[in-house]
Amino acid sequence: MSKSQPTRRPKLHKLLCYVGIGLSLTLLKLYLDWTPATAIVPQTDNLTSNTTHVTSPPAPLLQGKGSQTPLSLFQQGKTHYQAGQFAAALDAWQQAAAAYQTQGEPLNQAMTLSNLALAHQELAQWNQANHAMAQSFALLDTIPPNTPERLRVQAQTLNTQGTLQLAQGQAEAALKTWQHATQLYSQIPDEPGIIRSQINQALALRALGLYRRARNTLEQLETTLQTQPDNPLKAAAYANLGNLLRSLGSPEAQETLQKSLDIARTLNSPADISAALLGLGNTARSQGQNERAIDYYQKAAASAISPNAQFEASVNQLDLLLVTNQRQPATTLIPQLQELAQHLPTTRPAIYAQIHFAQTLTHHQTQLNPTLSAPEIAQILAHAQQQAQHLKDTVAESYALGYLGHLYETAQQWQDAERLTRQALAQAKIPPEVAYQWQWQLGRLLKAQNKPQVATKAYTSAYKTLKLLRGDLVAANPDIKFTFRDEVEPVYRELVDLLLSPQQRTHQRDIKENLEQAREVIEALQVAELENFFQSACLDSTVQVDQVVDEKDPTAAIIYPIVLKDRIEVILKLPGKDNLVHYRSPDLSWEKVETTVKRFRSNLQDPFTNPAIKKDGQTLYNWLIKPARPYLESQGIKTLIFVLDEPLRNIPMAALYDGETYLVQTYATALLMGLEVRDSHRLERNRMDVLAASLTEPPPKEGNFAKLDKANDELDKIKAAGIPVTFIRDEDFTKTALEQRLERSTFDIVHLATHGQFGEKPEDTFILAADGKIPLEQFSQLFRRQQSTTTQGIELLLLSACRTATGSNRAVLGIAGAAIQAGTRSAIASLWSLDDQSSVTFTEAFYQHLGQPGVSRAEALQLAQQAMLQNADYQAPLFWAAYVLVGSWF
């Protein structure tokens, strides 16, 4: 969370693909990312960018009106359609269909009617479009089945039907329709038809939020596409794949979209050129290349042949101009967009494009004053709502009403905002990723009107909806990493703020229920953050931490510090059922907490700042621990398990200072991510088996990593402690060697004396081997393979020379995630780089105590740190405080 987040108004829920929406799994994102190359448009008898069939009739040249034939009328309609002249296309195809009826050509008439439906769709004539489709299918029923001609037209008609279904929000029905079309094309066989229908399937899967399935569908086409000549269909396929790769965070997105652009330019296809440029603009923006993105957007708008494509590219350009504080070109562009909006067809993509336009203006309203007034923005949203009503699109109407409510929220017109928000929630069949936004917005509005109890109910509804979406939050799209803190995390924090506020405390029963719910919410936030970090579900085979404390380790207590915008709330869980204690540090801003934590961590990495360390360490101790000391002492607590909030995660709790001693001198400590822990057993010295790997000389190609001259000495200390150990040293320590060892043997502990880093993102997290970096995903796979070949899991992963990225609170998630993803019960890692010799000293002390009777792994860590404190060379916290234990502590 950024420094200012706790006090700022929530952002608008971003709709466009370049930044990703908060849940990114809605139909809305699909439609805003639609372009002529990725949308579903008619095809000619050659391969084109069209993904629904409009195959030219194979019938004899029969005369139509005047000297025109049905075929020439059909071709006129196709030409008009591709030029965006939908009314003219409609007229030509109506004449062609009538001519085919007169001549008794039901197959060609059916085919023409299916294309007629597309023209009706573009003109928002939905009843006429559906009627034309029904006529087409009725004609097909009169024709003998299983002939190639009939199968081809039936497949084309199904493609068109899928188009209409998706445009009307029926993504599941569209997917089934296009799957049926693919089967028919396979029967003919018709390879271009298969490609088109598979592209369309990917669009439907994307609309349903099934991004990985969509990606797999498109990637399977790549081999086929490489054998095809350059044509619009090939350009469309690459455009779809590139946009999908971007939404999945793949670095291959730009290269794929460039292929689409190159093909489109070769073919001189303005629609496909515009589509590829829009995709490249979105990709450039996602990579932080703002000026390049603006240039792409300008070119995309200039190349567009449809008003909607031009509008969409220009709105993207406007948003980025405002983000980069280019006010003059932005204010010049706004009137052009207002004028263009008046001429957009009443279609679903156009409605969402208008909503995005209004969002952009609302988000930058202060910056734009007095250029554009709030009533003018409201008018855009009201117009979008009316169009959504006309289309009977309840999801689009919900978005329009909800964002109109948000506009009133920004103006602090609470009652109007509440009325509109409730209307947005009342729309039929809105998906949960839409509902949670308006539940959260309603909670904010009720809180602003000093109605804490009903506000809590609204927030609780939003929280429960997010829990339902837990799997979808990590389904595929890592864009949500960038919006999680703005559009998901605040729901949890603001609910906890309400639950623990003094106004809520009227009865003892309410206090207990609120404490329990607050714990549950914080646990859900921790797990959501971890899964958001890794984009996958992380926890399995777990037990409740309360059960462990109550039944397995009654000398442990759990501490939950929760940092809110104006205070720290702390919940203490002691052994015993319902044994919760609550205290707070009031009048304490988020900024002060964050500043203190950053200064404390910085000083911890300097051996000559002990007075400053003790001062800040005592401040933190007073906030987090001091009020709990009487309870801890009365219960005989030996181990403190911390479920740390984000600002506190990057500092070692062992280094907190009570005025006389460090916390490590009184308590063992461990960290958890949430209220669950993997079931584990105590390590026993006579049964432990260690796999230990070292790397003295880091490979030069991987960057400027220092030699670890003492890495092998460190490993030797494990053997000297009398523990069975298998070594992989130096150049032998490769990815393959590690994998082979893990597959062939069972180990309780894996100890890696090598460089590594836990970064802000998983892709910045790695372990260094002799043959290069082992990214976290590959590292996890190595351990997963070991788990699949043995029944025994790894209890402890020890990473002695790793570090977390400087200034990153999220990087600590990587330590927890490394253990969780690898299937280990716990991990010990260092928060910063350490002196090579000090690692040897730590390792020697740690393994002397690990596995001894009655000594938990947290206590073994504590005893090793205490030993270093007593060593004159390593008394500074720099040397001993860096080590943290994450996961199972006993």
Side-chain angles (χ1 to χ4, degrees), residues 577-650:
K577 188 177 181 181
D578 301 329
N579 202 351
L580 294 181
V581 176
H582 170 231
Y583 50 92
R584 70 162 59 92
S585 295
D587 303 321
L588 188 60
S589 70
W590 177 283
E591 289 79 5
K592 182 175 181 179
V593 174
E594 195 171 48
T595 300
T596 304
V597 166
K598 286 182 178 179
R599 185 173 60 237
F600 182 57
R601 177 181 164 109
S602 177
N603 287 331
L604 282 170
Q605 297 175 68
D606 188 331
F608 306 108
T609 54
N610 272 13
I613 289 171
K614 289 180 177 179
K615 180 180 178 182
D616 285 329
Q618 187 168 5
T619 298
L620 290 162
Y621 174 88
N622 290 341
W623 292 343
L624 306 181
I625 309 295
K626 186 176 180 179
R629 279 300 287 268
Y631 302 99
L632 301 176
E633 291 171 359
S634 67
Q635 294 263 356
I637 299 300
K638 295 180 181 180
T639 304
L640 300 181
I641 313 302
F642 290 91
V643 182
L644 292 176
D645 206 354
E646 182 184 354
L648 303 167
R649 285 193 201 125
N650 223 14

Side-chain angles (χ1 to χ4, degrees), residues 94-320:
Q94 284 173 332
Q95 293 183 50
Y100 282 126
Q101 182 180 18
T102 300
Q103 301 299 332
E105 303 245 3
L107 194 63
N108 290 337
Q109 183 186 356
M111 182 189 57
T112 307
L113 286 167
S114 71
N115 293 296
L116 192 65
L118 289 172
H120 280 303
Q121 174 193 331
E122 293 292 348
L123 295 169
Q125 297 170 355
W126 298 101
N127 290 336
Q128 295 94 318
N130 291 326
H131 179 66
M133 289 304 306
Q135 285 183 299
S136 181
F137 281 117
L139 284 167
L140 287 171
D141 287 340
T142 68
I143 301 170
N146 298 326
T147 64
E149 293 78 10
R150 202 260 198 190
L151 288 172
R152 192 181 305 277
V153 175
Q154 183 182 359
Q156 170 230 319
T157 306
L158 286 168
N159 247 346
T160 303
Q161 184 184 39
T163 303
L164 294 174
Q165 288 168 332
L166 190 61
Q168 295 174 82
Q170 302 164 16
E172 280 193 58
L175 177 60
K176 292 177 181 177
T177 299
W178 283 324
Q179 287 171 337
H180 187 193
T182 303
Q183 293 172 358
L184 296 183
Y185 283 128
S186 299
Q187 284 180 247
I188 297 173
D190 181 344
E191 191 171 89
I194 294 170
I195 292 172
R196 293 185 185 96
S197 56
Q198 286 182 326
I199 292 173
N200 289 346
Q201 285 183 49
L203 291 173
L205 289 166
R206 191 177 177 195
L208 291 166
L210 302 173
Y211 282 76
R212 297 204 187 279
R213 282 182 59 189
R215 176 176 179 170
N216 290 339
T217 298
L218 288 173
E219 286 183 337
Q220 288 169 9
L221 292 173
E222 276 200 284
T223 303
T224 304
L225 288 171
Q226 290 170 5
T227 66
Q228 297 285 327
D230 287 349
N231 52 61
L233 178 60
K234 189 173 181 179
Y238 278 124
N240 276 281
L241 179 57
N243 288 329
L244 197 60
L245 288 172
R246 178 185 63 254
S247 68
L248 292 166
S250 172
E252 301 168 5
Q254 183 172 349
E255 179 184 351
T256 306
L257 285 161
Q258 188 62 48
K259 288 180 183 178
S260 177
L261 179 60
D262 292 342
I263 295 169
R265 283 175 169 165
T266 299
L267 300 172
N268 193 27
S269 172
D272 293 326
I273 290 171
S274 177
L277 287 167
L278 179 59
L280 284 165
N282 292 339
T283 302
R285 176 163 185 173
S286 71
Q287 297 171 347
Q289 301 172 4
N290 292 334
E291 290 305 316
R292 190 175 181 186
I294 289 171
D295 183 59
Y296 278 132
Y297 291 145
Q298 288 175 326
K299 291 176 179 176
S303 302
I305 59 172
S306 75
N308 196 64
Q310 181 185 355
F311 186 79
E312 197 174 314
S314 297
V315 172
N316 284 17
Q317 179 187 347
L318 173 66
D319 191 48
L320 193 48

